[in-house]
């Protein structure tokens, strides 16, 4: 993408002033090299989002931004219902509440290396992964609705998790306002056998080593020590969320037209927040958030069981669990006044700074852990939310490295088998049901995650705490 399209405000802030139908500016946070590496559609999509009714502040893109459906991946936008604001299924995405959790093992790298291969095989056997993967859990209609209303709390109540986890999950494990009755029978049917499964694409479970501490005081508060081992899980609401997104995107195209909303792109299909369709979508989307929170809780429980087999005294403790693809009602200060806004984050993570009232007591004075995923062979990072992030982008940050190449191009360039062998030679064991999927997610198909998090820190979105490196990756 040509940096000349923007006005450079500072080394990591790039701005497009409103022109034509844009209601607000578009702002991208990235350094110049990252801007040059982004595809041109990021500019088009960020400016298109700026045209939507009721948008507040600006249309934002994070340093890992790349082309997505409607909104760019890494897109953030907030809407005010009092100003005709909208909710957009394209602004949330198909994998509703796809997110990440990191669990502390208390084990050292040497503990893991003694059993690395056996541990990788056992995790692969016990964590269903891949396209159409199913679990032993079957939900009838009653349990499905209880899960969609209860989220991670539902999972814990049935023995698939620990009560202490809930405090470390966004919304304390249960998204309020979920309406299972707004979820179609087709979506529920797709989810009947998918609880506790990773799925495919960029979803994974990684056993990681803390390779570098970048902020000692925050790392200590988070319980992170160099050379200790953590487990990170990246997954979402599986078939249920995808089905909800598919159905409401079709419906919202009609609703937008009936509401007099001129869409700059059909993929930005939306509905006024207070409309009947908007309210139905919010009820269904919140149910999908609960599905994702329950799914990650069950996956975490199964990871605990596997680790318990190898290390009977090991008790995986949840550091934090946060989603990427959501629309959340949040209070934010805009022009000196606190306002209730509907914040869309698509491929972006919430990053509340110190003092935020929604954070658990143990983290409130420090800030929210911001979990940045890598790509099998590269580093991942743990950051902490900054107070400056609210004014920058409604307390949001990047969520990963962000794709640099399409899956098609990755398949053309790399062999999945060779990637597995090359990573094994570097001490990283990959287990996946699909070599094609491994090739599509090749580490080289992603941006430089170290550059992405450095730009996020320089922009004041979040601050680096620790760098992680993979030891084992169960790839969906």
């Amino acid at each position: 993408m040509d940096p000349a399209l923007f006005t450079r405000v500072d080394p990591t802030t790039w701005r497009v002033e409103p022109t034509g139908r844009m209601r607000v500016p578009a702002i991208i946070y990235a350094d110049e090299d990252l801007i040059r590496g982004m595809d041109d559609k990021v500019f088009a999509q960020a400016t298109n989002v700026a045209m939507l009714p009721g948008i507040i502040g600006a249309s934002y893109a994070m340093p890992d931004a790349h082309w997505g459906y409607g909104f760019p991946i890494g897109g953030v936008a907030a809407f005010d219902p009092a100003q005709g604001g909208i909710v957009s299924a394209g602004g949330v995405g198909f994998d509703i509440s796809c997110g990440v959790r990191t669990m502390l093992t208390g084990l050292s790298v040497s503990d893991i290396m003694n059993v690395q291969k056996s541990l990788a095989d056992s995790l692969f056997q016990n964590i269903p992964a891949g396209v159409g993967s199913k679990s032993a859990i079957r939900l009838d209609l009653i349990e499905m609705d209880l899960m969609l209303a209860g989220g991670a709390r539902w999972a814990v109540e049935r023995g698939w998790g620990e009560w202490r986890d809930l405090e470390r999950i966004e919304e304390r494990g249960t998204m309020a306002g979920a309406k299972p009755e707004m979820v179609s029978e087709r979506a529920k049917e797709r989810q009947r056998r998918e609880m506790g499964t990773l799925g495919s694409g960029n979803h994974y479970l990684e056993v990681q080593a803390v390779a570098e501490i970048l902020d000692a005081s925050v790392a200590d508060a988070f319980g992170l020590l160099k050379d200790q081992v953590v487990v990170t899980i990246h997954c979402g609401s599986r078939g249920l969320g995808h089905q909800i997104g598919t159905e409401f995107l079709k419906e919202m195209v009609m609703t937008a037209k009936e509401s007099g909303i001129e869409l700059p792109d059909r993929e930005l299909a939306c509905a006024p927040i207070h409309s009947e369709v908007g309210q139905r979508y919010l009820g269904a989307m919140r149910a999908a958030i609960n599905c994702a929170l329950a799914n990650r809780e069950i996956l975490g429980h199964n990871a605990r069981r596997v680790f318990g087999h190898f290390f009977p005294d090991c008790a995986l403790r949840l550091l934090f669990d946060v989603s990427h693809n959501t629309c959340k009602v949040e209070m934010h200060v805009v022009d000196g006044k606190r306002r209730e806004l509907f914040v869309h984050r698509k491929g972006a993570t919430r990053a509340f700074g110190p003092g935020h009232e929604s954070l658990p007591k143990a983290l409130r004075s420090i800030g929210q852990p911001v979990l940045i995923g890598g790509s099998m062979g590269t580093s991942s990072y743990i950051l902490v939310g900054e107070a400056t992030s609210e004014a920058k982008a409604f307390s949001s940050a990047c969520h990963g490295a962000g794709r640099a190449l399409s899956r098609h191009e990755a398949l053309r360039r790399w062999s999945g088998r060779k990637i597995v062998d090359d990573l094994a030679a570097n001490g990283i064991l990959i287990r996946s049901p699909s070599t094609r999927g491994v090739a599509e997610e090749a580490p080289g198909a992603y941006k430089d995650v170290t550059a992405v998090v450095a730009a996020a820190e320089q922009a004041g979105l979040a601050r680096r705490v620790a760098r992680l490196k993979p030891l084992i990756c169960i790839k969906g």
Side-chain angles (χ1 to χ4, degrees), residues 206 208 211 372-375 377-381 401 449-450 467-470:
E206 274 194 3
Q208 302 161 324
I372 308 297
S375 49
T378 62
S379 296
S380 296
Y381 282 84
V449 68
T450 298
R467 181 174 65 85
L468 314 175
K469 66 177 183 181

Side-chain angles (χ1 to χ4, degrees), residues 12-325:
T12 52
T13 305
W14 306 73
R15 182 179 173 103
V16 181
E17 296 301 333
T19 57
R21 290 163 53 198
M22 289 173 66
R23 300 167 190 261
V24 294
I27 294 175
I28 297 183
Y29 296 110
D31 65 26
E32 185 169 341
D33 286 343
L34 289 169
I35 289 279
R36 289 186 184 281
M38 290 179 187
D39 50 273
D40 293 340
K41 289 181 179 176
V42 173
F43 175 88
Q45 292 192 319
T47 53
N48 283 344
V49 171
M51 300 177 191
L52 294 175
I55 188 168
I56 301 299
S59 162
Y60 298 100
M62 302 291 105
D64 55 340
H66 60 97
W67 173 83
Y69 188 96
F71 275 50
I73 307 296
V76 176
F79 297 88
D80 186 345
Q83 295 190 13
I86 55 86
V87 58
S88 170
V92 172
F94 289 98
D95 193 359
I96 297 171
S97 195
C98 181
V100 64
R101 65 165 41 195
T102 293
M103 306 166 78
L104 312 179
T105 68
L107 300 167
S108 68
V109 172
S110 59
D111 293 329
I112 295 298
M113 299 313 285
N114 288 334
V115 296
Q116 186 187 20
K117 184 176 182 302
S118 300
L119 180 61
D121 291 339
S122 187
L123 285 168
F124 186 52
Q125 289 166 6
N126 287 277
I127 304 290
V131 176
S133 51
K134 308 292 183 188
S135 79
I137 300 171
R138 293 183 183 216
L139 300 186
D140 61 22
L141 291 177
I142 293 174
E143 278 299 301
M144 177 68 71
D145 284 356
L146 290 171
M147 180 275 289
L148 293 175
R153 177 173 290 275
W154 167 87
V156 172
E157 287 171 348
R158 277 144 188 80
W160 297 312
E162 297 181 358
W163 287 104
R164 65 176 179 172
D165 292 344
L166 299 180
E167 189 182 50
R168 295 295 184 115
I169 303 174
E170 61 175 325
E171 312 296 341
R172 286 175 168 71
T174 302
M175 184 72 223
K179 295 181 179 177
E181 66 273 22
M182 300 304 173
V183 179
S184 70
E185 294 305 312
R186 172 63 180 146
K188 292 177 181 177
E189 180 58 33
R190 288 185 64 175
Q191 195 62 28
R192 281 192 68 201
R193 293 285 309 278
E194 292 194 345
M195 297 308 298
T197 65
L198 269 182
S200 57
N202 61 354
H203 296 159
Y204 61 79
L205 180 152
E206 274 194 3
V207 179
Q208 302 161 324
V210 179
E212 187 178 8
I213 297 292
L214 299 157
D215 185 320
S217 63
V218 176
D220 183 58
F222 285 176
L224 297 167
L225 294 171
K226 191 171 185 299
D227 290 329
Q228 288 210 328
V229 171
V230 303
V231 175
T232 296
I233 297 170
H234 178 227
C235 189
S237 53
R238 304 286 286 111
L240 182 135
H242 196 283
Q243 187 67 29
I244 290 171
T246 301
E247 293 168 357
F248 275 94
L249 275 164
K250 290 178 183 175
E251 190 171 357
M252 283 180 170
V253 169
M254 299 302 298
T255 304
K257 185 177 182 181
E258 292 164 3
S259 302
I261 299 171
E262 191 176 350
L263 294 175
D265 178 350
R266 281 174 60 88
E267 294 181 358
L268 290 175
C270 59
I273 291 166
H274 288 318
S275 68
E276 187 269 341
V277 174
Q279 291 298 300
R280 274 198 288 116
Y281 175 71
L282 286 167
M285 181 208 63
R286 289 163 180 159
I289 290 176
N290 280 332
C291 177
L293 297 180
N295 193 35
R296 289 198 291 274
E297 183 68 13
I298 296 170
L299 286 165
H301 170 73
N302 289 336
R304 280 185 173 125
R305 288 177 54 225
V306 173
F307 270 78
H309 171 76
F310 287 90
F311 308 101
D313 296 329
C314 172
L316 273 63
R317 181 166 62 84
L318 183 60
L319 171 60
F320 209 67
D321 183 311
V322 66
S323 301
H324 302 148
N325 298 342

Side-chain angles (χ1 to χ4, degrees), residues 369-441:
V370 178
L371 313 173
I372 308 297
S375 49
M376 289 190 289
T378 62
S379 296
S380 296
Y381 282 84
I382 294 176
L383 286 67
V384 63
E386 291 268 52
T388 49
S389 184
E390 180 174 34
K392 293 283 185 177
F394 301 109
S395 301
S396 307
C398 52
H399 79 311
R403 292 198 77 92
L405 299 174
S406 68
R407 289 187 167 90
H408 177 77
E409 180 61 20
L411 270 178
R412 197 183 68 80
R413 292 193 187 190
W414 289 289
S415 149
R417 184 68 256 168
K418 187 171 188 310
I419 290 170
V420 171
D421 292 343
D422 288 349
L423 291 176
N426 287 315
I428 304 168
L429 300 186
I430 306 297
R431 297 289 185 270
S432 174
S434 169
T435 53
R436 177 190 175 96
V438 170
E440 288 179 342
E441 298 298 316

Side-chain angles (χ1 to χ4, degrees), residues 333-338:
V333 176
V334 180
D335 298 330
K337 295 181 180 178
R338 275 172 63 84

